[in-house]
Amino acid sequence: MSDIVTKQDVKTRRKVERPKLHKVILVNDDFTPREFVVQVLKAEFRTTDDEAYRIMITAHQRGVCVVAVFTKDIAETKATRATDAGKAAGFPLLFTTEPEE
Ligand code: TYC
């Protein structure tokens, strides 16, 4: 009985597909101290010291670095909070988000 796939089953399955994940991207600038970037990454994204350093130095050298992926809401909240932490300290530190393909 439950092995008969109906139109409704297909519809239901589509509704429960996982939401697209969004990348949080760290953008380089010439003013924010390296150590401050590392501190923000550790505080907001719960990375280790080494991981935070690796992300910071990648953005520093290449211009941007993907920090992590989250659902849309969480990615946007974390990017805003991390950007605001820089702003509060007088730095132009910037985190953006973009949907994963
Ligand atoms: N480029 C900055 C400096 O030399 C450090 C830095 C790295 C700033 C990464 C932002 O996303 C960033 N002080």
Side-chain angles (χ1 to χ4, degrees), residues 70-85:
F70 302 98
T71 55
K72 186 171 192 284
D73 269 20
I74 293 178
E76 285 172 355
T77 300
K78 284 184 177 288
T80 299
R81 284 172 49 103
T83 298
D84 285 351

Side-chain angles (χ1 to χ4, degrees), residues 45-64:
F45 299 95
R46 303 295 177 135
T47 67
T48 63
D49 234 311
D50 286 358
E51 184 69 356
Y53 185 82
R54 189 192 64 75
I55 293 165
M56 180 281 296
I57 209 69
T58 301
H60 176 75
Q61 291 170 346
R62 304 171 71 134
V64 290

